[in-house]
Amino acid sequence: MNCKKGCFITFEGPEGAGKSTQVKLLRQALEKRGIQTIVTREPGGTPLAEQLRDIVKYHEGDEPMAAETELLLFAASRAQHVRNLIKPAVAEGKVVICDRFYDSTTAYQGYARSLELDFVQRLNMFAIAGCKPDLTILLDLPPEAGFSRTAARAETQGLNDRLENEALDFHLAVRSAFLTIAEQEPERVKVVSALDAPEVIHCTIMELIENVV
Ligand code: Z5A
C-alpha cells in the first residue's frame, strides 16, 4: 500500500543528533503499516551523488577545498539525487525519508561558512527543482552532546570528515542556524529535542507525521 499521494520527509540537525537512528525507526513504523518507504541521505543517494559525497566529505591533500566549491558539490549531489531518486519515488506514491537535505546547506555553507545567504537559497531552489519537503524534523542538540555521542565511533572507525573536524564555534553556528530556519518556516520545520531517549523521540515524530502520511 502506498500513502495517499507520496510524500517527502527530511531529517536535519547537528552531528550525532540521532538522525540515522530516527530515520530507521520511522521506516520500520511506516513499513509495518504497509507504506512503501524509501530511505536515502545527503550528500549522496544515487551512484553519482555518492561519488560527490566522497569528494566533499573526505577531500584531503595540499589543496584546501574552497567554501564555494564545497557549496557547489553539495548542490550538484542534490540536483542528481532529486531528479533520479526523490522526485520519481514521490511521484510513484512512496514516502521518501532523507537524512539531511537543503536546510543543511543553508546552515553549514550559508550561515556557518558565511557564504552569501541569498545566493545559497537560490542555488538550493535550483537544485531541488520544486521538490520541497512536506515535513522536516529538526533534531536539536548542543554540539558538545553530539560530539560525545559520535566520539566512540570516530575512535573505532577513525572516520571524522572535514566538516566534523571544524571547531566548536562552527558547530554552534550550525545549531543556531537550524533553529533560525525552523523559526522562519514553522509549518514545515518541526523542532524535536534530541536529548530524550530514542523511543521517546520516535513517539513524538510519529505524532508529527500523522498530518503528512
Ligand atoms: N553537510 C553540509 O555541510 N551541507 C549539506 O548540504 C549537507 C551535509 C547535505 C554529512 O555527514 C556531513 O555533511 C555533515 C553535514 C554536512 N557533517 N557534519 N558535521 P554524515 O551524513 O556522515 O553525518 P551526519 O549527518 O552528521 O550524521 P551522524 O554524525 O552520523 O549522526 P546522526 O545520524 O545524527 O546520529 P546517529 O548515527 O543516529 O547517532 C549517533 C550516535 O548517537 C549513535 O551511537 C547512536 O546510537 C547514538 N544515539 C542516537 N540517538 C540517541 C539518543 N536519543 N540518545 C543517546 N544516544 C543516541
Side-chain angles (χ1 to χ4, degrees):
M1 184 180 89
N2 289 339
C3 63
K4 281 169 279 183
K5 57 174 177 60
C7 84
F8 181 31
I9 300 169
T10 59
F11 280 75
E12 299 280 6
E15 188 204 341
K19 297 177 296 299
S20 313
T21 304
Q22 293 303 324
V23 163
K24 210 163 134 192
L25 292 172
L26 178 56
R27 172 197 227 156
Q28 286 166 358
L30 294 178
E31 286 182 346
K32 253 192 198 161
R33 293 185 188 182
I35 295 173
Q36 283 190 36
T37 307
I38 304 270
V39 165
T40 187
R41 66 174 182 183
E42 289 216 346
T46 72
L48 176 52
E50 288 288 330
Q51 286 183 339
L52 294 167
R53 175 185 177 95
D54 281 344
I55 298 172
V56 75
K57 278 184 56 125
Y58 300 113
H59 167 75
E60 52 186 22
D62 292 339
E63 183 190 1
M65 185 182 292
E68 290 78 0
T69 307
E70 181 182 283
L71 169 68
L72 293 169
L73 285 169
F74 280 116
S77 163
R78 181 162 308 124
Q80 198 65 18
H81 188 204
V82 163
R83 286 156 184 79
N84 292 337
L85 190 145
I86 300 173
K87 268 195 168 183
V90 173
E92 285 169 11
K94 294 174 181 154
V95 174
V96 176
I97 308 171
C98 189
D99 190 338
R100 294 194 183 277
F101 198 54
Y102 69 78
D103 296 313
S104 282
T105 308
T106 308
Y108 283 84
Q109 283 66 53
Y111 283 91
R113 293 261 192 249
S114 303
L115 292 174
E116 197 204 319
L117 265 184
D118 280 354
F119 178 72
V120 170
Q121 273 153 5
R122 275 188 284 131
L123 185 64
N124 283 342
M125 293 307 115
F126 178 70
I128 70 168
C131 187
K132 269 201 153 196
D134 297 291
L135 174 70
T136 297
I137 307 287
L138 170 56
L139 292 175
D140 178 51
L141 183 81
E144 297 89 333
F147 296 154
S148 68
R149 286 183 188 176
T150 55
R153 178 180 65 192
E155 250 173 46
T156 52
Q157 300 176 4
L159 271 182
N160 262 359
D161 67 36
R162 290 185 317 105
L163 287 125
E164 284 162 348
N165 286 333
E166 287 290 341
L168 177 62
D169 278 358
F170 179 87
H171 292 283
L172 288 169
V174 167
R175 182 191 187 195
S176 131
F178 275 130
L179 292 171
T180 301
I181 294 166
E183 263 174 43
Q184 288 167 345
E185 287 190 73
E187 285 300 306
R188 173 177 69 86
V189 184
K190 304 296 180 193
V191 183
V192 175
S193 168
L195 289 168
D196 291 324
E199 302 70 29
V200 175
I201 299 170
H202 174 62
C203 286
T204 307
I205 291 171
M206 289 310 289
E207 283 166 20
L208 290 169
I209 67 143
E210 292 303 338
N211 295 331
V212 294
V213 173

PDB file of all heavy atoms in Angstrom, residues 79-104:
ATOM      1  N   ALA A  79      21.116  17.942  -6.893  1.00  0.00           N
ATOM      2  CA  ALA A  79      20.426  18.034  -8.190  1.00  0.00           C
ATOM      3  C   ALA A  79      20.257  16.632  -8.776  1.00  0.00           C
ATOM      4  O   ALA A  79      19.196  16.276  -9.316  1.00  0.00           O
ATOM      5  CB  ALA A  79      21.220  18.929  -9.137  1.00  0.00           C
ATOM      6  N   GLN A  80      21.296  15.834  -8.649  1.00  0.00           N
ATOM      7  CA  GLN A  80      21.290  14.473  -9.168  1.00  0.00           C
ATOM      8  C   GLN A  80      20.289  13.593  -8.394  1.00  0.00           C
ATOM      9  O   GLN A  80      19.503  12.847  -8.964  1.00  0.00           O
ATOM     10  CB  GLN A  80      22.725  13.932  -8.989  1.00  0.00           C
ATOM     11  CG  GLN A  80      23.054  12.751  -9.813  1.00  0.00           C
ATOM     12  CD  GLN A  80      23.041  13.041 -11.307  1.00  0.00           C
ATOM     13  OE1 GLN A  80      23.112  14.191 -11.740  1.00  0.00           O
ATOM     14  NE2 GLN A  80      22.914  11.993 -12.084  1.00  0.00           N
ATOM     15  N   HIS A  81      20.341  13.725  -7.081  1.00  0.00           N
ATOM     16  CA  HIS A  81      19.535  12.935  -6.159  1.00  0.00           C
ATOM     17  C   HIS A  81      18.039  13.214  -6.349  1.00  0.00           C
ATOM     18  O   HIS A  81      17.212  12.297  -6.427  1.00  0.00           O
ATOM     19  CB  HIS A  81      19.999  13.326  -4.743  1.00  0.00           C
ATOM     20  CG  HIS A  81      19.443  12.499  -3.639  1.00  0.00           C
ATOM     21  ND1 HIS A  81      19.350  12.980  -2.354  1.00  0.00           N
ATOM     22  CD2 HIS A  81      18.961  11.233  -3.590  1.00  0.00           C
ATOM     23  CE1 HIS A  81      18.841  12.035  -1.584  1.00  0.00           C
ATOM     24  NE2 HIS A  81      18.605  10.975  -2.303  1.00  0.00           N
ATOM     25  N   VAL A  82      17.704  14.501  -6.447  1.00  0.00           N
ATOM     26  CA  VAL A  82      16.292  14.889  -6.588  1.00  0.00           C
ATOM     27  C   VAL A  82      15.721  14.329  -7.886  1.00  0.00           C
ATOM     28  O   VAL A  82      14.640  13.724  -7.896  1.00  0.00           O
ATOM     29  CB  VAL A  82      16.155  16.435  -6.563  1.00  0.00           C
ATOM     30  CG1 VAL A  82      14.807  16.877  -7.111  1.00  0.00           C
ATOM     31  CG2 VAL A  82      16.356  16.961  -5.147  1.00  0.00           C
ATOM     32  N   ARG A  83      16.473  14.537  -8.978  1.00  0.00           N
ATOM     33  CA  ARG A  83      15.932  14.167 -10.286  1.00  0.00           C
ATOM     34  C   ARG A  83      15.882  12.644 -10.502  1.00  0.00           C
ATOM     35  O   ARG A  83      14.993  12.138 -11.171  1.00  0.00           O
ATOM     36  CB  ARG A  83      16.753  14.842 -11.406  1.00  0.00           C
ATOM     37  CG  ARG A  83      16.418  16.335 -11.484  1.00  0.00           C
ATOM     38  CD  ARG A  83      17.528  17.144 -12.112  1.00  0.00           C
ATOM     39  NE  ARG A  83      17.216  18.577 -12.087  1.00  0.00           N
ATOM     40  CZ  ARG A  83      17.360  19.351 -11.002  1.00  0.00           C
ATOM     41  NH1 ARG A  83      17.793  18.855  -9.853  1.00  0.00           N
ATOM     42  NH2 ARG A  83      17.040  20.632 -11.066  1.00  0.00           N
ATOM     43  N   ASN A  84      16.851  11.934  -9.953  1.00  0.00           N
ATOM     44  CA  ASN A  84      16.944  10.496 -10.262  1.00  0.00           C
ATOM     45  C   ASN A  84      16.386   9.588  -9.181  1.00  0.00           C
ATOM     46  O   ASN A  84      16.216   8.395  -9.413  1.00  0.00           O
ATOM     47  CB  ASN A  84      18.401  10.119 -10.558  1.00  0.00           C
ATOM     48  CG  ASN A  84      18.856  10.750 -11.864  1.00  0.00           C
ATOM     49  OD1 ASN A  84      18.027  11.071 -12.707  1.00  0.00           O
ATOM     50  ND2 ASN A  84      20.134  10.967 -12.012  1.00  0.00           N
ATOM     51  N   LEU A  85      16.128  10.131  -8.005  1.00  0.00           N
ATOM     52  CA  LEU A  85      15.583   9.251  -6.965  1.00  0.00           C
ATOM     53  C   LEU A  85      14.359   9.855  -6.269  1.00  0.00           C
ATOM     54  O   LEU A  85      13.281   9.274  -6.263  1.00  0.00           O
ATOM     55  CB  LEU A  85      16.674   8.909  -5.934  1.00  0.00           C
ATOM     56  CG  LEU A  85      16.267   7.811  -4.940  1.00  0.00           C
ATOM     57  CD1 LEU A  85      17.466   6.945  -4.566  1.00  0.00           C
ATOM     58  CD2 LEU A  85      15.661   8.359  -3.677  1.00  0.00           C
ATOM     59  N   ILE A  86      14.506  11.055  -5.697  1.00  0.00           N
ATOM     60  CA  ILE A  86      13.436  11.551  -4.819  1.00  0.00           C
ATOM     61  C   ILE A  86      12.147  11.832  -5.601  1.00  0.00           C
ATOM     62  O   ILE A  86      11.074  11.307  -5.262  1.00  0.00           O
ATOM     63  CB  ILE A  86      13.891  12.809  -4.047  1.00  0.00           C
ATOM     64  CG1 ILE A  86      15.119  12.481  -3.186  1.00  0.00           C
ATOM     65  CG2 ILE A  86      12.753  13.346  -3.172  1.00  0.00           C
ATOM     66  CD1 ILE A  86      15.769  13.684  -2.513  1.00  0.00           C
ATOM     67  N   LYS A  87      12.260  12.648  -6.664  1.00  0.00           N
ATOM     68  CA  LYS A  87      11.037  13.016  -7.406  1.00  0.00           C
ATOM     69  C   LYS A  87      10.317  11.794  -7.971  1.00  0.00           C
ATOM     70  O   LYS A  87       9.101  11.653  -7.800  1.00  0.00           O
ATOM     71  CB  LYS A  87      11.377  13.993  -8.535  1.00  0.00           C
ATOM     72  CG  LYS A  87      11.263  15.443  -8.132  1.00  0.00           C
ATOM     73  CD  LYS A  87      11.256  16.321  -9.372  1.00  0.00           C
ATOM     74  CE  LYS A  87      10.859  17.716  -8.994  1.00  0.00           C
ATOM     75  NZ  LYS A  87      10.752  18.607 -10.159  1.00  0.00           N
ATOM     76  N   PRO A  88      11.037  10.885  -8.654  1.00  0.00           N
ATOM     77  CA  PRO A  88      10.324   9.722  -9.202  1.00  0.00           C
ATOM     78  C   PRO A  88       9.648   8.886  -8.107  1.00  0.00           C
ATOM     79  O   PRO A  88       8.524   8.426  -8.296  1.00  0.00           O
ATOM     80  CB  PRO A  88      11.436   8.916  -9.901  1.00  0.00           C
ATOM     81  CG  PRO A  88      12.531   9.903 -10.163  1.00  0.00           C
ATOM     82  CD  PRO A  88      12.448  10.935  -9.087  1.00  0.00           C
ATOM     83  N   ALA A  89      10.301   8.716  -6.959  1.00  0.00           N
ATOM     84  CA  ALA A  89       9.717   7.875  -5.899  1.00  0.00           C
ATOM     85  C   ALA A  89       8.466   8.534  -5.319  1.00  0.00           C
ATOM     86  O   ALA A  89       7.450   7.863  -5.082  1.00  0.00           O
ATOM     87  CB  ALA A  89      10.752   7.617  -4.806  1.00  0.00           C
ATOM     88  N   VAL A  90       8.516   9.839  -5.086  1.00  0.00           N
ATOM     89  CA  VAL A  90       7.331  10.532  -4.545  1.00  0.00           C
ATOM     90  C   VAL A  90       6.191  10.458  -5.571  1.00  0.00           C
ATOM     91  O   VAL A  90       5.034  10.212  -5.209  1.00  0.00           O
ATOM     92  CB  VAL A  90       7.661  12.005  -4.165  1.00  0.00           C
ATOM     93  CG1 VAL A  90       6.401  12.761  -3.762  1.00  0.00           C
ATOM     94  CG2 VAL A  90       8.683  12.047  -3.028  1.00  0.00           C
ATOM     95  N   ALA A  91       6.543  10.604  -6.839  1.00  0.00           N
ATOM     96  CA  ALA A  91       5.509  10.543  -7.890  1.00  0.00           C
ATOM     97  C   ALA A  91       4.840   9.164  -7.940  1.00  0.00           C
ATOM     98  O   ALA A  91       3.682   9.043  -8.315  1.00  0.00           O
ATOM     99  CB  ALA A  91       6.130  10.886  -9.252  1.00  0.00           C
ATOM    100  N   GLU A  92       5.589   8.132  -7.547  1.00  0.00           N
ATOM    101  CA  GLU A  92       5.001   6.773  -7.510  1.00  0.00           C
ATOM    102  C   GLU A  92       4.190   6.536  -6.243  1.00  0.00           C
ATOM    103  O   GLU A  92       3.716   5.429  -5.988  1.00  0.00           O
ATOM    104  CB  GLU A  92       6.116   5.721  -7.565  1.00  0.00           C
ATOM    105  CG  GLU A  92       6.734   5.559  -8.940  1.00  0.00           C
ATOM    106  CD  GLU A  92       8.011   4.704  -8.891  1.00  0.00           C
ATOM    107  OE1 GLU A  92       8.292   4.078  -7.853  1.00  0.00           O
ATOM    108  OE2 GLU A  92       8.722   4.710  -9.899  1.00  0.00           O
ATOM    109  N   GLY A  93       4.091   7.545  -5.369  1.00  0.00           N
ATOM    110  CA  GLY A  93       3.267   7.406  -4.167  1.00  0.00           C
ATOM    111  C   GLY A  93       4.025   6.899  -2.953  1.00  0.00           C
ATOM    112  O   GLY A  93       3.417   6.545  -1.936  1.00  0.00           O
ATOM    113  N   LYS A  94       5.360   6.850  -3.047  1.00  0.00           N
ATOM    114  CA  LYS A  94       6.137   6.353  -1.906  1.00  0.00           C
ATOM    115  C   LYS A  94       6.437   7.473  -0.916  1.00  0.00           C
ATOM    116  O   LYS A  94       6.398   8.651  -1.283  1.00  0.00           O
ATOM    117  CB  LYS A  94       7.458   5.766  -2.405  1.00  0.00           C
ATOM    118  CG  LYS A  94       7.200   4.521  -3.249  1.00  0.00           C
ATOM    119  CD  LYS A  94       8.458   3.987  -3.872  1.00  0.00           C
ATOM    120  CE  LYS A  94       8.107   2.771  -4.717  1.00  0.00           C
ATOM    121  NZ  LYS A  94       9.041   2.524  -5.796  1.00  0.00           N
ATOM    122  N   VAL A  95       6.752   7.049   0.305  1.00  0.00           N
ATOM    123  CA  VAL A  95       7.252   8.016   1.285  1.00  0.00           C
ATOM    124  C   VAL A  95       8.773   8.000   1.176  1.00  0.00           C
ATOM    125  O   VAL A  95       9.398   6.945   1.303  1.00  0.00           O
ATOM    126  CB  VAL A  95       6.831   7.636   2.720  1.00  0.00           C
ATOM    127  CG1 VAL A  95       7.489   8.577   3.732  1.00  0.00           C
ATOM    128  CG2 VAL A  95       5.323   7.707   2.873  1.00  0.00           C
ATOM    129  N   VAL A  96       9.360   9.148   0.920  1.00  0.00           N
ATOM    130  CA  VAL A  96      10.820   9.249   0.859  1.00  0.00           C
ATOM    131  C   VAL A  96      11.301   9.942   2.130  1.00  0.00           C
ATOM    132  O   VAL A  96      10.833  11.037   2.459  1.00  0.00           O
ATOM    133  CB  VAL A  96      11.276  10.038  -0.388  1.00  0.00           C
ATOM    134  CG1 VAL A  96      12.794  10.208  -0.385  1.00  0.00           C
ATOM    135  CG2 VAL A  96      10.820   9.330  -1.658  1.00  0.00           C
ATOM    136  N   ILE A  97      12.200   9.271   2.838  1.00  0.00           N
ATOM    137  CA  ILE A  97      12.775   9.848   4.061  1.00  0.00           C
ATOM    138  C   ILE A  97      14.246  10.126   3.776  1.00  0.00           C
ATOM    139  O   ILE A  97      14.997   9.209   3.432  1.00  0.00           O
ATOM    140  CB  ILE A  97      12.693   8.862   5.251  1.00  0.00           C
ATOM    141  CG1 ILE A  97      11.269   8.347   5.441  1.00  0.00           C
ATOM    142  CG2 ILE A  97      13.186   9.532   6.519  1.00  0.00           C
ATOM    143  CD1 ILE A  97      11.189   7.215   6.472  1.00  0.00           C
ATOM    144  N   CYS A  98      14.641  11.369   3.927  1.00  0.00           N
ATOM    145  CA  CYS A  98      16.023  11.735   3.580  1.00  0.00           C
ATOM    146  C   CYS A  98      16.769  12.291   4.794  1.00  0.00           C
ATOM    147  O   CYS A  98      16.284  13.204   5.465  1.00  0.00           O
ATOM    148  CB  CYS A  98      15.999  12.755   2.438  1.00  0.00           C
ATOM    149  SG  CYS A  98      17.614  13.079   1.765  1.00  0.00           S
ATOM    150  N   ASP A  99      17.930  11.704   5.056  1.00  0.00           N
ATOM    151  CA  ASP A  99      18.800  12.120   6.157  1.00  0.00           C
ATOM    152  C   ASP A  99      19.621  13.316   5.654  1.00  0.00           C
ATOM    153  O   ASP A  99      20.568  13.124   4.893  1.00  0.00           O
ATOM    154  CB  ASP A  99      19.697  10.905   6.499  1.00  0.00           C
ATOM    155  CG  ASP A  99      20.498  11.099   7.769  1.00  0.00           C
ATOM    156  OD1 ASP A  99      20.709  12.239   8.181  1.00  0.00           O
ATOM    157  OD2 ASP A  99      20.934  10.067   8.323  1.00  0.00           O
ATOM    158  N   ARG A 100      19.207  14.504   6.018  1.00  0.00           N
ATOM    159  CA  ARG A 100      19.731  15.812   5.593  1.00  0.00           C
ATOM    160  C   ARG A 100      19.235  16.169   4.188  1.00  0.00           C
ATOM    161  O   ARG A 100      19.097  15.319   3.324  1.00  0.00           O
ATOM    162  CB  ARG A 100      21.265  15.877   5.589  1.00  0.00           C
ATOM    163  CG  ARG A 100      21.889  15.759   6.968  1.00  0.00           C
ATOM    164  CD  ARG A 100      23.351  16.184   6.909  1.00  0.00           C
ATOM    165  NE  ARG A 100      24.007  16.032   8.196  1.00  0.00           N
ATOM    166  CZ  ARG A 100      23.950  16.922   9.186  1.00  0.00           C
ATOM    167  NH1 ARG A 100      23.274  18.044   9.025  1.00  0.00           N
ATOM    168  NH2 ARG A 100      24.580  16.710  10.317  1.00  0.00           N
ATOM    169  N   PHE A 101      19.019  17.483   3.993  1.00  0.00           N
ATOM    170  CA  PHE A 101      18.635  17.999   2.673  1.00  0.00           C
ATOM    171  C   PHE A 101      19.082  19.457   2.629  1.00  0.00           C
ATOM    172  O   PHE A 101      20.081  19.813   3.260  1.00  0.00           O
ATOM    173  CB  PHE A 101      17.117  17.805   2.474  1.00  0.00           C
ATOM    174  CG  PHE A 101      16.644  17.883   1.047  1.00  0.00           C
ATOM    175  CD1 PHE A 101      17.199  17.088   0.070  1.00  0.00           C
ATOM    176  CD2 PHE A 101      15.624  18.758   0.675  1.00  0.00           C
ATOM    177  CE1 PHE A 101      16.752  17.142  -1.254  1.00  0.00           C
ATOM    178  CE2 PHE A 101      15.168  18.829  -0.634  1.00  0.00           C
ATOM    179  CZ  PHE A 101      15.733  18.025  -1.593  1.00  0.00           C
ATOM    180  N   TYR A 102      18.337  20.323   1.932  1.00  0.00           N
ATOM    181  CA  TYR A 102      18.930  21.637   1.677  1.00  0.00           C
ATOM    182  C   TYR A 102      19.043  22.543   2.903  1.00  0.00           C
ATOM    183  O   TYR A 102      19.811  23.505   2.893  1.00  0.00           O
ATOM    184  CB  TYR A 102      18.223  22.365   0.525  1.00  0.00           C
ATOM    185  CG  TYR A 102      16.808  22.836   0.791  1.00  0.00           C
ATOM    186  CD1 TYR A 102      16.533  23.981   1.529  1.00  0.00           C
ATOM    187  CD2 TYR A 102      15.736  22.135   0.249  1.00  0.00           C
ATOM    188  CE1 TYR A 102      15.235  24.407   1.739  1.00  0.00           C
ATOM    189  CE2 TYR A 102      14.443  22.550   0.450  1.00  0.00           C
ATOM    190  CZ  TYR A 102      14.200  23.686   1.196  1.00  0.00           C
ATOM    191  OH  TYR A 102      12.910  24.099   1.405  1.00  0.00           O
ATOM    192  N   ASP A 103      18.289  22.242   3.983  1.00  0.00           N
ATOM    193  CA  ASP A 103      18.477  23.071   5.187  1.00  0.00           C
ATOM    194  C   ASP A 103      19.908  22.923   5.716  1.00  0.00           C
ATOM    195  O   ASP A 103      20.440  23.852   6.328  1.00  0.00           O
ATOM    196  CB  ASP A 103      17.474  22.686   6.279  1.00  0.00           C
ATOM    197  CG  ASP A 103      16.042  22.968   5.842  1.00  0.00           C
ATOM    198  OD1 ASP A 103      15.783  24.073   5.317  1.00  0.00           O
ATOM    199  OD2 ASP A 103      15.182  22.082   6.007  1.00  0.00           O
ATOM    200  N   SER A 104      20.522  21.759   5.470  1.00  0.00           N
ATOM    201  CA  SER A 104      21.927  21.596   5.888  1.00  0.00           C
ATOM    202  C   SER A 104      22.824  22.550   5.104  1.00  0.00           C
ATOM    203  O   SER A 104      23.778  23.096   5.652  1.00  0.00           O
ATOM    204  CB  SER A 104      22.405  20.152   5.662  1.00  0.00           C
ATOM    205  OG  SER A 104      21.923  19.313   6.681  1.00  0.00           O
TER     206      SER A 104
END
